[in-house]
Amino acid sequence: MTDSLKDAATDLFNQFELEDKSIEKLMALEAISGSPKTKPVIMMWASRMAAILVIAVMATVFGVDQFNDYKKQNIIRLIVAEVVKNHSNLKPLEVTSDKLVSVSSYFDGLSFSPYSSKFESVASVLNTSLIGGRYCSIQGNTAAQLRMQSSEGVYSTLFQTNETNLFSDIPAMTDQNTIKEFKDGFEVQIWREKGLLMVYVKPASSL
């Protein structure tokens, strides 16, 4: 795939989102149903629809194989761009608690229960600074977003989603090592652990 096609693919992937008005219309359904979990279900649906539309456009332009190859070859860059954007635009929490077991129990729409990592620095932040979580997605895969806030008011985010073939080239965590990238003033660490993709975002200047 040429550089111009790659640039076009990146632009489509980063810019193709549901308009705010459309999301607001979906959110209005929450008032009709009266269910406290309608909002995350709607957001998951909206996220999946956006991902499906992006895939359909890309597959039409470049072909399914080329599109999948492009994503896999550029998966780190795509993940970093996506999580930094999410972390930079913090949306309201859907569940609030400083207890991981309470936050994890909220995510009954996932096939896994979010858990603390064996990565020591991340586990420490989860144990001391967790404030809640919300549903989100990573490259079209439904994910849990766990949010932490330090005593100084600094936010960090741990994303967790199921492993898929798309993430198979990302190394599993060994000896406390992770892939580390920097973007827009944030440090992003990426690794696989116990069947999950883990992505941790914090300000690059934080300790």
Side-chain angles (χ1 to χ4, degrees):
M1 188 179 292
T2 65
D3 290 340
S4 61
L5 289 180
K6 288 183 179 180
D7 291 340
T10 301
D11 290 341
L12 276 171
F13 212 87
N14 289 337
Q15 295 176 11
F16 198 100
E17 297 176 342
L18 289 180
E19 296 180 356
D20 290 341
K21 290 183 179 180
S22 297
I23 293 178
E24 288 174 1
K25 290 179 180 179
L26 289 171
M27 292 308 182
L29 295 175
E30 179 182 13
I32 298 175
S33 70
S35 170
K37 291 195 176 182
T38 301
K39 181 176 180 179
V41 170
I42 291 173
M43 289 304 294
M44 280 194 295
W45 179 86
S47 175
R48 287 172 178 172
M49 290 302 99
I52 289 170
L53 288 171
V54 170
I55 291 171
V57 170
M58 296 298 290
T60 299
V61 175
F62 306 122
V64 175
D65 291 340
Q66 286 180 305
F67 175 60
N68 289 336
D69 287 344
Y70 170 80
K71 282 193 69 177
K72 193 161 187 178
Q73 291 169 10
N74 295 272
I75 193 60
I76 299 301
R77 181 169 60 83
L78 291 170
I79 290 173
V80 169
E82 184 174 30
V83 298
V84 166
K85 182 177 180 180
N86 284 339
H87 181 79
S88 301
N89 299 278
L90 295 176
K91 295 181 179 180
L93 293 171
E94 294 164 0
V95 56
T96 57
S97 175
D98 60 358
K99 304 298 182 183
L100 182 57
V101 64
S102 298
V103 174
S104 294
S105 65
Y106 172 78
F107 293 98
D108 55 10
L110 299 174
S111 62
F112 65 91
S113 182
Y115 60 84
S116 183
S117 172
K118 287 187 177 180
F119 191 56
E120 293 175 359
S121 61
V122 174
S124 176
V125 175
L126 270 174
N127 291 334
T128 60
S129 305
L130 180 66
I131 59 173
R134 60 174 288 116
Y135 280 99
C136 65
S137 66
I138 296 180
Q139 296 303 298
N141 297 280
T142 305
Q145 180 186 131
L146 307 179
R147 188 176 303 168
M148 287 73 72
Q149 183 178 22
S150 70
S151 57
E152 293 79 21
V154 177
Y155 288 102
S156 59
T157 306
L158 177 63
F159 300 84
Q160 298 185 0
T161 190
N162 280 314
E163 276 188 15
T164 68
N165 183 60
L166 181 62
F167 308 131
S168 61
D169 290 339
I170 296 174
M173 184 190 72
T174 57
D175 299 325
Q176 303 299 310
N177 291 325
T178 65
I179 293 174
K180 187 179 294 186
E181 299 285 336
F182 294 88
K183 181 178 175 62
D184 299 338
F186 294 99
E187 177 183 313
V188 181
Q189 293 171 284
I190 306 171
W191 69 100
R192 290 185 295 114
E193 181 179 345
K194 290 185 177 179
L196 297 183
L197 176 75
M198 302 273 203
V199 187
Y200 181 56
V201 185
K202 65 177 181 178
S205 59
S206 66
L207 300 177

